[in-house]
Amino acid sequence: MRLAGPVRIVALVVTVGLTWIVVSILLGGPGTGFPRIQQLFTSPGSSVTVEPRARKYKCGLPQPCPEEHLAFRMVSGAANVIGPKICLEDKMLMSSVKDNVGRGLNIALVNDVNDLLKFIRPLHEGTLVFVASYDDPATKMNEETRKLFGELGSKNAKELAFRDSWVFVGAKGVQNKSPFEQHVKNSKHTNKYEGWPEALEMEGCIPRRSSAS
């Protein structure tokens, strides 16, 4: 019975000593922080590496455009909820944030903006025309409008129908059809949204018009 007190003291000292050893192992020793604790939660052979962010160029393009080319990116409206976007040379020309888009045809020129036929007819030679649909691009288009878009290089303007999705880049005085055009028909069998097809996204590099041409 007389040994109970000393035994308790020895047991306490041993417990404290073991606790100190365990804590020292976990903490990795003085001045080393908490590497051992981190090792307990890290699988062997694994290391945390930070992947470098992919560089974005003008208008968010994955690659830079060649010299004497204009970078562009455009997105048609999604149904009648999300408005279209038109970006040229890293400048947002039209978007819902800028509050300068509306339902129908959203048209951006490198020079002026005005009423549809009024500013398409007198365009200067070489003027670039960016078009992104929103909700319905076709209801108010007549034969003259479709013909004028055809002269700007569109091959789909003559086929546009109610609530189709359409994005197009053309130019006054082009000799061939534009390579920058996408068109999706409104069809209840393939529509992404109820009553509307998917939004279209198009990006690329447009060669600058030579001043000598």
Side-chain angles (χ1 to χ4, degrees), residues 50-62:
V50 179
E51 292 292 334
R53 291 186 178 182
R55 182 177 178 182
K56 294 293 184 181
Y57 298 89
K58 291 181 179 179
C59 291
L61 269 63

Side-chain angles (χ1 to χ4, degrees), residues 53-122:
R53 291 186 178 182
R55 182 177 178 182
K56 294 293 184 181
Y57 298 89
K58 291 181 179 179
C59 291
L61 269 63
Q63 295 180 343
C65 287
E67 291 186 12
E68 298 303 315
H69 283 67
L70 303 172
F72 81 93
R73 181 174 181 268
M74 54 198 308
V75 184
S76 69
N80 62 344
V81 180
I82 303 175
K85 297 179 181 179
I86 300 177
C87 174
L88 177 66
E89 283 293 281
D90 229 19
K91 179 180 180 181
M92 191 62 68
L93 302 181
M94 307 185 79
S95 70
S96 296
V97 175
K98 294 181 71 69
D99 196 25
N100 61 352
V101 298
R103 294 178 181 176
L105 292 173
N106 290 270
I107 304 176
L109 308 181
V110 294
N111 299 322
D112 320 271
V113 176
N114 223 314
D115 201 8
L116 187 58
L117 286 175
K118 290 181 181 178
F119 73 79
I120 290 183
R121 286 197 194 104

